[in-house]
Amino acid sequence: MAGARTEKRLRMRAGPAAVAAAVCALAAAAAAVLPTGGRPAQDRPARAAAPAVPAPDAAPPAQCTDPEASLRPAGGAGGAAVQRIKARGRLIAGVDQNSYRWGYRNPADGELSGFDIDLVRAVAKDILGDPGKVTYLAIPTSRRISALQTGKVDIVARTMTITCERIRQVAFSTAYFESGQQVMVPKGSPVTAFDDSLKGKKVCTAEGSTAEIKVREEPHGSSLLTVPNQLDCLVRLQLGEVDAVVNDRALGAGQAAQDPSVQLVGKPFTTEPYGVAMNLADTDLVRRVNKVLEDYRAGGAGSLWMKAYDKWLAADLKGITAPPAPKYRD
């Protein structure tokens, strides 16, 4: 009965696409780690927890001035991490299934689709020769790091921003996309940007996100609600339980495309470089993923990166002409 009431309220505020996404998010919010795609959970080979101590070349710099600088690309047979994936015969990837355009369940075929999913498939093809040899795990925003540290997944490709704090906990590839945080509100809202127009308002962010950190640092007189996943904030906004959402523009644009009753306001006020995250000890895998990204960027307007951008993101994030240039520290 409660679920029926919620769905009815959503229909009053948003279109059918937004209702479907929101109801899905409400169902998914209760799950901490939800297996999706690939083999059934009971058939998946267990992976031993990765070493807690990183190899010397993976150690983050003592002074963090450029967190985007990663390890130089390398192919070949790979080291322990790449060999582990080859022996298993599948790449285990932590992804989102609720971020439209990035990682979401395509209603047409029920398959995971999006910009991040295409990148995961490229990594699987390079290591295993088959883009379909992936076991996907839907990971809440707040559990991305722990999933890597405990060896639950090999990689996380989930619009994850590279930061100084995070590079001490997990390793990152070079940046494959750059976004910025922005405010999303219902149309007609008096909130105009990430400024004092938020005073007295309730703001929603995903727990463990860079948006949460920013709102706590600069609340502008607002109160904060945190939820497991970004799409949960859209649900709260549709239900009138919060007044605004602070999220990456890249994700917010996809949500606004799903629900025409909401809009992004103001300008992006941070820089958010996304990277593929891995365990600190898996240095050979970091180098292998960076090789994949080098190939993914190659070819200018005809690159695999630009083809993925045109397919998934160009309609909502206009004007991007190239991927971010890679940075290396060795």
Side-chain angles (χ1 to χ4, degrees):
M1 181 64 71
R5 286 198 299 269
T6 297
E7 187 171 348
K8 182 177 179 181
R9 291 174 67 187
L10 289 170
R11 286 200 178 97
M12 293 172 65
R13 295 179 59 97
V19 172
V23 172
C24 175
L26 283 172
V33 180
L34 176 64
T36 63
R39 299 184 189 178
Q42 64 269 25
D43 294 333
R44 293 185 190 124
R47 172 190 166 186
V53 180
D57 62 350
Q63 296 294 324
C64 180
T65 57
D66 195 358
E68 297 169 62
S70 185
L71 301 175
R72 289 196 175 274
V82 171
Q83 289 302 317
R84 178 186 71 230
I85 295 167
K86 288 182 175 181
R88 184 196 302 130
R90 298 188 75 82
L91 175 72
I92 303 177
V95 298
D96 197 354
Q97 67 167 3
N98 292 316
S99 289
Y100 188 50
R101 310 288 199 198
W102 291 91
Y104 73 105
R105 286 280 179 193
N106 190 327
D109 56 20
E111 296 295 321
L112 282 171
S113 304
F115 191 89
D116 281 342
I117 304 303
D118 280 5
L119 181 53
V120 169
R121 289 172 60 83
V123 174
K125 182 177 180 180
D126 184 80
I127 296 176
L128 298 168
D130 184 344
K133 289 187 175 181
V134 182
T135 294
Y136 296 101
L137 294 182
I139 306 292
T141 304
S142 60
R143 304 206 180 169
R144 294 175 295 190
I145 289 174
S146 63
L148 289 164
Q149 291 177 331
T150 59
K152 187 180 292 292
V153 296
D154 299 309
I155 65 174
V156 167
R158 196 187 180 287
T159 58
M160 189 169 180
T161 303
I162 306 168
T163 68
C164 286
E165 180 182 4
R166 287 174 178 168
I167 65 169
R168 292 178 170 82
Q169 302 174 77
V170 295
F172 280 97
S173 70
T174 53
Y176 66 85
F177 197 86
E178 191 170 279
S179 184
Q181 290 170 26
Q182 201 166 353
V183 179
M184 184 171 69
V185 295
K187 289 180 178 178
S189 168
V191 176
T192 56
F194 189 69
D195 57 20
D196 288 347
S197 64
L198 288 168
K199 186 175 181 179
K201 306 299 184 184
K202 182 175 285 188
V203 174
C204 184
T205 69
E207 181 183 354
S209 67
T210 50
E212 179 190 1
I213 295 171
K214 189 64 176 178
V215 174
R216 291 192 186 281
E217 289 176 346
E218 300 179 51
H220 291 291
S222 67
S223 59
L224 177 64
L225 171 71
T226 61
V227 293
N229 289 301
Q230 290 95 341
L231 189 61
D232 298 332
C233 281
L234 176 60
V235 176
R236 301 304 188 274
L237 193 66
Q238 292 167 332
L239 293 173
E241 295 175 359
V242 298
D243 303 295
V245 174
V246 175
N247 198 358
D248 290 0
R249 172 175 176 258
L251 296 171
Q255 292 175 1
Q258 287 177 289
D259 183 357
S261 73
V262 302
Q263 64 181 354
L264 293 169
V265 294
K267 295 180 179 180
F269 53 91
T270 65
T271 299
E272 307 286 328
Y274 297 161
V276 179
M278 290 152 277
N279 188 284
L280 277 173
D282 289 349
T283 56
D284 64 309
L285 183 56
V286 175
R287 295 185 186 278
R288 187 63 171 261
V289 171
N290 281 339
K291 173 187 173 295
V292 174
L293 286 172
E294 286 280 289
D295 296 341
Y296 211 63
R297 299 183 189 100
S303 68
L304 292 174
W305 191 97
M306 285 303 302
K307 289 178 180 178
Y309 164 75
D310 289 339
K311 179 179 181 180
W312 298 113
L313 308 178
D316 304 318
L317 295 168
K318 302 181 186 301
I320 297 175
T321 59
K327 298 179 181 179
Y328 301 108
R329 68 172 189 256
D330 63 344

